[in-house]
Amino acid sequence: MEKYYFEKEWKEGVLLIKKDKSTVLVLGGEELEIYCPEIARGNINEVGMPCLISEAKGLKNEKCEVMAFSLDNPNRENKDWICTKPIVFEDAIEYFLTNHQMEGLDNGCKVYGDIKMEGKKWDLVTGDACVQIKVPDVILDAAGGGWMQVKSLMLTAEKISRYKSAFASLWDTGKRMVFLTIFQHGLNERMQGWLCKDLSKYFAMDMDEKAEFWVADLRLEPDGRLYGGRSGVFCRRIRL
């Protein structure tokens, strides 16, 4: 499939924690102070943590910000990257839809980003569907020596109420409601089981045929691109 390239180039560096407990970025041999997301900072070890950085937007006194990190050794090639910015995936999905890379989901319709439909704000709207995107929070699994995405949706009571209200608002519009969950490191059967259980708990008894649940599998590369992940299936509908 065609790849999505970021607007600005990302650069690879290494995160270190100094003796005074400040976080620094080593980039081209130079040390720079940098804001680091807690989920990344809490896993920096003595050899440092690889990261991908971009020019900072909206952060005071910061020239760059961490966009992704890896649990792999800094010297390893072909690292697995964990992106910390959900908006990156939302932009990529809009690109893939617009370029007809996800025909099964949008039926080749024109795509509109971030607009209101029936008084509700949607991540994407196509000719026949309103799309709500969710990027799971990354949960690190220290005991297993790696990481996994367990808390797939983090559905609070407020979010459940908002999503159900959004479903109801489409009742007479003729549009489908698509709830799209994005995984960035492979969607295995165990993860899909957790996801379906989570969705069924809140939605399965209330939804009609207009509500659809989809998953997309994306993989991040350091040269600034996203593409379909290693599972062999880029995007598919799941049944609850």
Side-chain angles (χ1 to χ4, degrees), residues 191-208:
M191 289 181 182
Q192 182 165 318
W194 282 325
L195 174 61
C196 290
K197 182 179 180 180
D198 211 3
L199 290 169
S200 296
K201 178 180 178 181
Y202 298 112
F203 295 116
M205 298 300 294
D206 301 326
M207 299 297 99
D208 63 10

Side-chain angles (χ1 to χ4, degrees), residues 25-225:
L25 167 72
V26 180
L27 186 65
E30 181 182 2
E31 290 189 359
L32 304 169
E33 289 191 11
I34 187 172
Y35 168 77
C36 180
E38 184 60 33
I39 194 170
R41 190 181 190 280
N43 289 276
I44 299 175
N45 57 37
E46 62 277 2
V47 299
M49 171 181 284
C51 68
L52 298 175
I53 60 100
S54 179
E55 181 180 333
K57 292 183 179 180
L59 293 177
K60 294 182 179 180
N61 303 320
E62 297 288 347
K63 295 182 179 180
C64 53
E65 62 179 319
V66 176
M67 305 299 288
F69 66 93
S70 176
L71 298 180
D72 296 326
N73 186 288
N75 296 320
R76 175 183 168 180
E77 296 184 2
N78 301 318
K79 302 177 184 69
D80 286 324
W81 295 101
I82 301 169
C83 185
T84 62
K85 303 292 182 180
I87 188 62
V88 169
F89 295 96
E90 293 177 13
D91 290 345
I93 291 297
E94 181 176 1
Y95 173 82
F96 293 138
L97 283 169
T98 301
N99 288 275
H100 307 296
Q101 306 266 335
M102 302 169 71
E103 293 284 346
L105 188 151
D106 78 325
N107 298 322
C109 298
K110 186 175 181 180
V111 179
Y112 306 89
D114 192 19
I115 70 171
K116 283 189 175 182
M117 176 72 185
E118 297 298 306
K120 308 293 181 181
K121 189 175 181 181
W122 302 90
D123 293 322
L124 296 170
V125 175
T126 73
D128 73 341
C130 292
V131 184
Q132 185 71 43
I133 298 174
K134 176 63 182 178
V135 181
D137 297 283
V138 175
I139 306 299
L140 301 182
D141 178 23
W147 60 271
M148 57 183 177
Q149 295 164 307
V150 179
K151 297 181 180 178
S152 58
L153 293 178
M154 303 291 286
L155 287 175
T156 63
E158 181 181 357
K159 286 183 178 180
I160 295 165
S161 176
R162 185 167 67 249
Y163 292 146
K164 287 187 175 182
S165 176
F167 284 143
S169 71
L170 297 181
W171 188 264
D172 296 321
T173 65
K175 286 186 179 292
R176 299 175 295 136
M177 166 66 190
V178 175
F179 195 96
L180 175 63
T181 304
I182 299 173
F183 289 85
Q184 54 176 311
H185 305 287
L187 178 61
N188 58 35
E189 291 184 2
R190 188 182 184 192
M191 289 181 182
Q192 182 165 318
W194 282 325
L195 174 61
C196 290
K197 182 179 180 180
D198 211 3
L199 290 169
S200 296
K201 178 180 178 181
Y202 298 112
F203 295 116
M205 298 300 294
D206 301 326
M207 299 297 99
D208 63 10
E209 66 277 1
K210 291 182 180 179
E212 300 178 6
F213 298 93
W214 289 69
V215 290
D217 187 9
L218 296 178
R219 179 173 169 80
L220 175 70
E221 288 199 343
D223 62 354
R225 61 180 176 175

Side-chain angles (χ1 to χ4, degrees), residues 221-240:
E221 288 199 343
D223 62 354
R225 61 180 176 175
L226 280 164
Y227 69 101
R230 291 169 291 185
S231 66
V233 179
F234 167 48
C235 186
R236 66 180 182 275
R237 185 179 178 180
I238 57 176
R239 306 286 180 176
L240 303 186

